[in-house]
Amino acid sequence: MSQDVRFALTFSGAAANSNLIEFYDVADALTGFQRSLALTIHLVLNGEIIVQAPSLKGATIYLRAPEQGSWKALAVVSMIATGAHVIGTAPRDTIIGHLAISAYDYVISESLGFHVDFNKTLGQQYEELQSGRRKKLPVPPPSQSKMDALIEKCEPSIREMHRPIYASHSASKAVVEYSFKREAKRSRSLTIETFEYIDVTTLDDVPNLLVGKVSSYNMNTFKGRIFTETEKRPVPFVLHESARSSENIGRITRSLDSNAMGRLDGAADVRISAFRNTSVTGRLKNLVVSEVLPI
């Protein structure tokens, strides 16, 4: 038994409007499309992050012939119920299909610089699907730290999905369309601006002092997210090797614990000295934390 989820990568503008596109560029773009899909689907099905697309388990990704109009390639992800990756009955399959779409949309959006609130999207969707069920859902929900790690692995692939736009200019933009049963949606547009965002990063020469609340942290990778009043959103951060002391990590985790308890008395606040990584447009992409200071 299998359930199919469809992901279509569509290029438009320039030669793509005549159903033409530069061969070398689109070959790289499709490779990036397949790899980012494979890594996302594997995490949704198996709860782990892989590095190589051929390691995908529990699903097969097929490619249908390009459609006329704009240049469109349709990827059909067939999630197969076999062995340890049994999906189960139709309602449970439906749940996984919707989670797969939400997870890939989250990866695309965050990679292109559009912040998505994890707790209000994937986290909330899983809670709603679990609500009222006697049995646990067939797959565990991917944590925000795992999704952040997945985004980091997928960024080079999503960069290559822009290749017909930035290299040969045989297309001017692209979108990914998702469809599963009655659900259909489109990703943010891939443009020359989103390519520049994902391709160019500038590291500040001097650190900045920031105050915020830690919303996620991974002890294995020393990476997390911190909500700052200046940005009004959770910003990814990584502790520099010189900052990975037990004292600094303790301040990070105490902020996370207090924030998780919803404390409003400032107990969740933490002060950091960090170098800003910004895009070509000046948008803050992430922080390299050099020191964690007491409030």
Side-chain angles (χ1 to χ4, degrees):
M1 179 181 181
S2 69
Q3 289 289 311
D4 294 344
V5 187
R6 301 181 178 212
F7 299 82
L9 175 62
T10 304
F11 289 96
S12 60
N17 283 349
S18 300
N19 202 218
L20 298 171
I21 203 159
E22 207 282 331
F23 199 146
Y24 183 90
D25 288 349
V26 81
D28 273 6
L30 290 179
T31 298
F33 184 34
Q34 192 276 342
R35 182 177 183 274
S36 58
L37 261 180
L39 268 60
T40 303
I41 297 300
H42 186 90
L43 175 59
V44 170
L45 288 179
N46 303 285
E48 63 180 10
I49 295 174
I50 54 175
V51 177
Q52 300 295 329
S55 300
L56 171 64
K57 293 181 181 179
T60 302
I61 301 176
Y62 298 99
L63 181 67
R64 285 194 173 175
E67 298 181 8
Q68 291 188 351
S70 51
W71 202 96
K72 181 176 182 178
L74 176 63
V76 180
V77 180
S78 183
M79 293 181 288
I80 307 163
T82 58
H85 309 283
V86 172
I87 296 177
T89 61
R92 301 175 88 190
D93 298 340
T94 299
I95 289 167
I96 295 179
H98 292 311
L99 287 175
I101 287 176
S102 295
Y104 194 60
D105 187 56
Y106 183 89
V107 169
I108 292 284
S109 296
E110 287 284 343
S111 296
L112 300 182
F114 300 98
H115 172 60
V116 179
D117 190 323
F118 177 86
N119 292 324
K120 292 181 180 179
T121 52
L122 272 174
Q124 182 177 342
Q125 183 179 20
Y126 187 90
E127 288 181 3
E128 291 174 350
L129 292 171
Q130 180 65 69
S131 178
R133 296 176 60 88
R134 294 182 179 178
K135 295 182 179 180
K136 290 184 177 180
L137 292 175
V139 291
S143 65
Q144 184 169 2
S145 61
K146 280 194 173 181
M147 289 302 300
D148 286 344
L150 174 65
I151 290 167
E152 185 177 352
K153 299 293 185 188
C154 288
E155 273 191 357
S157 298
I158 295 172
R159 178 190 182 278
E160 287 312 292
M161 288 167 63
H162 288 78
R163 188 171 179 87
I165 299 169
Y166 75 82
S168 63
H169 307 289
S170 52
S172 59
K173 71 175 182 178
V175 295
V176 179
E177 299 167 280
Y178 324 104
S179 61
F180 179 68
K181 296 188 180 296
R182 296 181 179 179
E183 181 178 3
K185 51 195 297 190
R186 292 162 64 93
S187 72
R188 306 275 186 169
S189 294
L190 282 67
T191 63
I192 191 64
E193 289 78 19
T194 58
F195 167 72
E196 290 173 346
Y197 174 87
I198 202 171
D199 185 57
V200 180
T201 301
T202 302
L203 181 65
D204 284 353
D205 295 327
V206 295
N208 292 263
L209 285 177
L210 301 166
V211 175
K213 295 177 173 64
V214 177
S215 57
S216 68
Y217 180 67
N218 188 315
M219 294 183 296
N220 297 316
T221 62
F222 303 100
K223 295 179 179 180
R225 288 182 180 244
I226 182 169
F227 183 92
T228 68
E229 286 299 324
T230 53
E231 291 294 322
K232 303 294 184 183
R233 65 183 175 96
V235 178
F237 73 85
V238 59
L239 287 177
H240 189 270
E241 290 182 6
S242 63
R244 296 174 184 177
S245 66
S246 57
E247 186 177 27
N248 284 340
I249 292 172
R251 287 171 180 153
I252 290 290
T253 55
R254 282 194 293 273
S255 173
L256 177 63
D257 291 342
S258 295
N259 194 20
M261 294 175 66
R263 294 182 181 174
L264 301 176
D265 58 0
D269 287 343
V270 66
R271 191 157 58 111
I272 61 172
S273 176
F275 293 89
R276 294 162 48 95
N277 269 319
T278 55
S279 71
V280 69
T281 60
R283 179 177 169 83
L284 178 61
K285 297 177 73 171
N286 55 62
L287 298 165
V288 180
V289 178
S290 58
E291 193 173 3
V292 185
L293 304 164
I295 292 294

